[in-house]
Amino acid sequence: PLDFSQVGNMKKFVCSILLAAIAAPTVVSAQDVATEVSVTEAAPGVYMLGGANGFSSAMALIVGEERVVLIDDGMAPITADLVATVDELAGRPIDFVVNTHVHGDHVGSNASLAENGAVIFAHHNLRKRLVEDPGPAGGVGGLPVVTFADGVHFHLNGQEVHVFHVKDAHTDGDAAVHLMGSDVIVAGDLHFNYLFPFIDLDSGGTVKGYIAGMRKLLKMAGENTIIIPGHGEIANRDDLQAALDMLVDAEKRVEALVREGKSVDEVVAANPLADYHDDWNWGFITTERMTRTIYRSLTE
């Protein structure tokens, strides 16, 4: 069983999502849900799901009397455990899946879940990218069958769920989800909690768009709002504000050196993000890689 009391210092471990509760959420132990997918209850009927076996991204599950909705669905190797976890929590199959972006650690179970009857929703651009390369979603069977431009509203389980597009942020097909009745925001990869974010410039992401996206989420969040990030521990408004403040300042630091005419290697050598290294550096997005991403986004 996963003992959350023993993993508090492993937040930056590259291959793990560390799911620890802040004041409001209740941790459901692996003894309560006997699979390899760990579970944190964010609000009544709303769960943050993440793997206890090296899986590196987070999902959200909405369970109610009417429908079961899964937001993102992890990588293909955890599909069986994911389905078993949902079955224990909900007692019935998934009705709808919402993909927040195109990466395989968030859409990897699409094909399997669709085969079992789930209807997959996503932004137009996400589907376009999967049409070009359906591999991350498990093949063509994992393509979203309902797509949207600006967003879509679900009216289910006694509450309104707003799925909305965020332009040119993590990718060009990002969506975030506001569970308006539960006061929960599912950020997808618009929030890496106390980790440098991955901004996928090759898939249409931009640093400025990412910052704008975080600001959009902050406007929706209140003092007690729970935020389910794409990576990292379950979060609140202050955590999202800290991530925004870091990235805004990091961009300004790199931009100042760009204005001086420095090359990317010269900027890296100057190490403008040194102050953030200890708290934000991790194995996938190191301080150097964050610096290079910001430089490239500013100059291309």
Side-chain angles (χ1 to χ4, degrees):
L2 179 63
D3 182 354
F4 282 90
S5 67
Q6 296 178 9
V7 300
N9 295 323
M10 297 172 62
K11 182 171 65 176
K12 301 300 174 81
F13 187 58
V14 165
C15 294
S16 297
I17 271 290
L18 308 177
L19 303 176
I22 56 176
T26 301
V27 172
V28 182
S29 73
Q31 292 174 330
D32 297 321
V33 180
T35 74
E36 292 299 313
V37 176
S38 55
V39 180
T40 303
E41 186 173 24
V46 180
Y47 303 91
M48 175 175 170
L49 307 183
N53 59 350
F55 176 57
S56 63
S57 62
M59 302 161 283
L61 179 70
I62 308 169
V63 177
E65 293 182 1
E66 298 172 359
R67 295 287 186 269
V68 176
V69 181
L70 184 65
I71 302 168
D72 287 336
D73 54 33
M75 297 196 299
I78 62 98
T79 301
D81 284 330
L82 173 62
V83 170
T85 300
V86 172
D87 186 59
E88 289 208 32
L89 291 170
R92 58 187 191 276
I94 298 161
D95 296 296
F96 305 127
V97 173
V98 177
N99 293 154
T100 65
H101 63 281
V102 72
H103 294 146
D105 60 331
H106 291 258
V107 303
S109 297
N110 273 17
S112 294
L113 297 181
E115 187 176 352
N116 288 332
V119 178
I120 301 174
F121 291 69
H123 186 264
H124 296 326
N125 290 341
L126 187 155
R127 179 182 163 87
K128 287 178 182 177
R129 290 189 178 277
L130 286 179
V131 166
E132 293 173 1
D133 177 14
V140 294
L143 295 177
V145 297
V146 181
T147 61
F148 54 85
D150 295 328
V152 63
H153 289 253
F154 290 81
H155 299 272
L156 47 81
N157 302 331
Q159 73 166 307
E160 185 173 353
V161 177
H162 183 202
V163 182
F164 56 94
H165 176 49
V166 181
K167 184 179 179 180
D168 302 335
H170 175 62
T171 69
D172 61 6
D174 295 330
V177 183
H178 188 194
L179 284 63
M180 301 168 75
S182 300
D183 200 13
V184 174
I185 294 172
V186 184
D189 278 7
L190 288 170
H191 184 34
F192 285 66
N193 197 18
Y194 294 101
L195 304 164
F196 281 134
F198 173 39
I199 301 174
D200 189 352
L201 306 183
D202 294 319
S203 296
T206 67
V207 173
K208 291 190 182 300
Y210 197 99
I211 288 171
M214 286 195 290
R215 285 178 171 151
K216 185 171 186 175
L217 297 185
L218 275 168
K219 287 181 179 179
M220 297 178 175
E223 270 185 37
N224 299 316
T225 302
I226 298 301
I227 298 172
I228 298 177
H231 296 262
E233 299 174 11
I234 200 164
N236 59 25
R237 192 182 194 281
D238 290 342
D239 298 324
L240 182 59
Q241 183 69 61
L244 173 61
D245 292 344
M246 178 280 297
L247 190 57
V248 168
D249 184 56
E251 185 189 42
K252 287 180 179 177
R253 293 181 183 210
V254 174
E255 187 173 24
L257 297 174
V258 169
R259 291 182 182 277
E260 292 177 11
K262 294 187 181 298
S263 69
V264 62
D265 290 334
E266 289 172 331
V267 171
V268 168
N271 199 10
L273 308 189
D275 292 344
Y276 294 109
H277 178 83
D278 289 347
D279 292 330
W280 299 85
N281 175 80
W282 60 300
F284 184 47
I285 305 298
T286 61
T287 303
E288 177 179 341
R289 187 171 182 185
M290 188 77 258
T291 304
R292 290 183 181 275
T293 295
I294 295 172
Y295 183 97
R296 181 181 163 196
S297 189
L298 285 168
T299 57
E300 286 189 351

